[in-house]
Amino acid sequence: DHFLHVVLGELLHVRCRRDDVDLAVFAGDIQAAVGGDVELMVDFNQSLATPEAIRRGRILDGEGVSWIEEPVRADDYRGAAE
């Protein structure tokens, strides 16, 4: 299983476990499957370096993702600020 999906009411929290995923296609497929009434959150579980977090965030911008959780380490305040 590449992803862990947790549905909480009208919220879908998706933890991305793989690097070789086309994020725009992935987010679009999920939105198509669950419909527009569900908010989509993507969790990278503190697994990304700052440049990669920014790159992936830009890919997901405009894909209906309402929240990107923990893209960088919790103690990387500078990276989180970027």
Side-chain angles (χ1 to χ4, degrees), residues 6-75:
V6 180
V7 179
L8 303 169
E10 295 181 357
L11 175 71
L12 179 62
H13 177 254
V14 181
R15 183 168 291 148
C16 189
R17 295 183 177 175
R18 294 194 41 177
D19 292 335
D20 62 343
V21 172
D22 184 327
L23 291 173
V25 171
F26 173 66
D29 287 350
I30 290 175
Q31 290 289 9
V34 299
D37 295 334
V38 175
E39 278 190 72
L40 178 60
M41 293 176 27
V42 177
D43 185 357
F44 289 107
N45 205 31
Q46 302 182 47
S47 65
L48 306 176
T50 301
E52 183 65 10
I54 292 169
R55 185 186 77 79
R56 291 185 189 198
R58 288 183 177 148
I59 290 170
L60 291 171
D61 190 31
E63 297 297 331
V65 174
S66 62
W67 180 262
I68 297 174
E69 186 174 351
E70 298 183 328
V72 297
R73 288 187 337 258
D75 63 351

